Amino acid sequence: MSKTILIVFGTRPEAIKLFPVVHALKAEGRFRVVTCVSAQHRGMLDQVLEIAEIAPDHDLDLMKPDQTLDGLTAALLTGLGTVMDAEKPDWVIVQGDTATAMAGALAAYYRKLPVAHVEAGLRSHNIYHPWPEEVNRKIIGTIAALHFAPTETSAAALKAENVDPDTIHVTGNTVIDALQWVTKRIEGEPALASGLAEIEARFAGKRIIGVTSHRRENFGGGLESIARAVRRIAQRSDVALVFPVHPNPNVRKVMDAELSGLGNVAMIEPLDYPNFARLIAISEIMLTDSGGVQEEAPALGKPVLVMRETTERPEGVAAGTARLVGTEEDVIVTEIFTLLDDKAAYSAMARAHNPFGDGQAARRIVELLGNVRQSQTR
Ligand code: UD1
Ligand code: UDP
């Protein structure tokens, strides 16, 4: 009888990093593949489901406006547990470090179901940066029977925590699979990434900076400081900032208050994945506190300034394409101006390379899932 694999996800980044795995598992044909979305995110999740052509088998539709971590987690545990009881999977796959991933792993553990963790072993070694993701990923790491580490660095972090080395596999990060897939889709169908045409025309001749910001630990003072930095950068007439604003009300209220009405700042709705890939491509610099964008920008040779105190993705910094700038207004402005005005500083960062993977991560994950013996998991 074929193994049942239950893939659980709920947010935009999980969907982006798991669609290559869903596609590869389905193409393999040896598994019964069941997808369950918590819909911790609604609109931003649906954008990915649409382009990846995934119709979930279960949709818990959990998102509430301005949801709390405890309310969300409680709903996730009971909702995901019910799906696990009904589907009786042989494996549960979770990705990354969101509330959905953590609750998915915990609900599986409560049923003694083996968990495979995609993007395992990322560590900042600071439980408040990023918050609450650092603890989420440690909980998942404690539970998982298989750890798909994107890089040697993440594999080493797991070994340092005494995780059984036989259960750790370096696969590359599936985000590179996703990025390559969407790039190919755009090549075949350019209209998929034409959503920015109006903005591109409006800002013709200007140097584009792509901006994203949503981290919970930056709510309040951190976000206000980031917004003031964007405002100051926008005083330069040679630049334009394109900022797809996260729908979290804690983000929106700050950005609306600080940035509305500025001629060379385009605050727009979250872009679907093809159009966001296009935004990276047309940007000279990415300014972000996102995890995924730290991985995608190096792959496309774009310098990325990371508005965080620490990163669990040191590979981009080590390779020279990413730089940690924190959330201090003056530091962000100085770093952006240096990249805009110092050609040597810019070219030193603007080199395309892929420290995070080669686009074959999903294939490796599916092979490993096919080979593992169930007796190895308990
Ligand atoms: C979540 C993850 C974070 C991840 C981020 C990616 C947790 C604790 N946080 O944070 O790790 O980096 O997603 O974006 O799991 N909202 C909408 N529409 C959407 C999505 C969100 O309106 O499509 C609004 C809702 O008001 C929602 C709020 O944003 O309550 C917060 O969503 P939530 O998933 O709790 O937190 P994020 O900050 O998105
Ligand atoms: N992204 C997108 N549209 C946007 C902004 C981001 O498709 O408007 C993609 C981006 O390419 C990356 C992922 O969303 O793959 C990152 O998601 P986010 O920053 O929300 O979460 P994080 O990676 O920080 O967990």
Side-chain angles (χ1 to χ4, degrees):
M1 215 173 69
S2 57
K3 280 188 208 168
T4 296
I5 314 252
L6 177 66
I7 307 180
V8 172
F9 54 105
T11 65
R12 169 175 66 194
E14 291 165 273
I16 288 173
K17 291 173 170 180
L18 281 176
F19 81 69
V21 179
V22 175
H23 289 175
L25 279 170
K26 289 194 169 168
E28 215 276 350
R30 266 206 292 163
F31 305 103
R32 187 170 85 90
V33 182
V34 181
T35 47
C36 172
V37 296
S38 67
Q40 171 181 338
H41 285 175
R42 186 71 273 173
M44 298 202 301
L45 172 75
D46 292 345
Q47 285 181 315
V48 187
L49 295 175
E50 191 181 337
I51 182 74
E53 294 180 8
I54 294 174
D57 300 296
H58 300 270
D59 188 333
L60 302 178
D61 198 22
L62 289 184
M63 192 190 86
K64 301 252 181 310
D66 201 10
Q67 57 207 0
T68 59
L69 291 177
D70 41 11
L72 171 64
T73 304
L76 283 165
L77 264 180
T78 44
L80 295 171
T82 305
V83 171
M84 288 175 199
D85 289 340
E87 293 290 354
K88 302 189 176 24
D90 297 288
W91 279 94
V92 175
I93 298 184
V94 298
Q95 192 282 336
D97 50 22
T98 66
T100 294
M102 185 274 288
L106 196 54
Y109 170 66
Y110 287 162
R111 289 156 182 81
K112 297 189 179 166
L113 298 170
V115 171
H117 186 200
V118 175
E119 198 183 71
L122 274 63
R123 296 289 184 273
S124 67
H125 305 290
N126 180 334
I127 64 167
Y128 294 105
H129 291 275
W131 173 75
E133 289 79 5
E134 179 76 357
V135 165
N136 284 347
R137 45 172 100 107
K138 286 171 87 142
I139 293 171
I140 302 168
T142 304
I143 291 170
L146 271 179
H147 307 261
F148 299 129
T151 67
E152 293 293 345
T153 307
S154 41
L158 291 167
K159 287 175 195 158
E161 291 174 9
N162 294 323
V163 173
D164 177 357
D166 290 344
T167 64
I168 305 169
H169 302 275
V170 177
T171 58
N173 197 312
T174 53
V175 76
I176 305 300
D177 304 33
L179 190 60
Q180 290 181 358
W181 182 90
V182 83
T183 304
K184 217 183 247 167
R185 283 292 312 270
I186 297 168
E187 274 164 22
E189 204 181 331
L192 284 176
S194 62
L196 291 169
E198 209 174 290
I199 284 175
E200 288 181 47
R202 179 170 134 210
F203 293 149
K206 292 199 190 281
R207 304 165 73 181
I208 307 282
I209 301 172
V211 185
T212 78
S213 179
H214 70 83
R215 302 269 356 122
R216 263 179 203 267
E217 66 273 13
N218 291 341
F219 285 0
L223 284 184
E224 282 161 18
S225 176
I226 289 170
R228 284 194 305 273
V230 169
R231 201 183 168 84
R232 269 173 60 192
I233 296 162
Q235 283 166 5
R236 283 179 67 134
S237 58
D238 60 334
V239 301
L241 296 106
V242 181
F243 188 170
V245 184
H246 192 291
N248 193 316
N250 299 287
V251 179
R252 292 250 154 138
K253 66 173 183 248
V254 173
M255 299 308 162
D256 286 348
E258 286 286 338
L259 302 174
S260 292
L262 295 179
N264 50 351
V265 179
M267 284 202 293
I268 55 176
E269 290 301 313
L271 293 165
D272 65 15
Y273 197 41
N275 281 297
F276 193 76
R278 172 77 186 161
L279 175 59
I280 302 179
I282 62 169
S283 293
E284 209 167 302
I285 305 166
M286 293 301 297
L287 178 63
T288 189
D289 60 14
S290 159
V293 180
Q294 287 179 63
E295 297 154 341
E296 293 160 337
L300 297 173
K302 299 297 168 140
V304 56
L305 296 184
V306 182
M307 298 183 289
R308 295 193 188 188
E309 305 306 324
T310 58
T311 183
E312 62 284 21
R313 296 168 167 88
E315 296 87 346
V317 178
T321 322
R323 181 169 300 150
L324 281 178
V325 297
T327 57
E328 285 291 325
E329 175 189 344
D330 287 346
V331 179
I332 296 170
V333 172
T334 305
E335 293 282 351
I336 286 277
F337 284 9
T338 301
L339 284 180
L340 288 171
D341 296 330
D342 180 340
K343 279 205 173 87
Y346 185 85
S347 352
M349 283 187 83
R351 274 176 285 117
H353 56 90
N354 267 333
F356 297 102
D358 61 359
Q360 297 296 312
R363 180 184 59 73
R364 292 190 190 100
I365 286 167
V366 171
E367 266 171 32
L368 288 159
L369 281 169
N371 293 339
V372 73
R373 286 196 316 274
Q374 214 63 19
S375 59
Q376 289 173 288
T377 59
R378 300 213 177 106

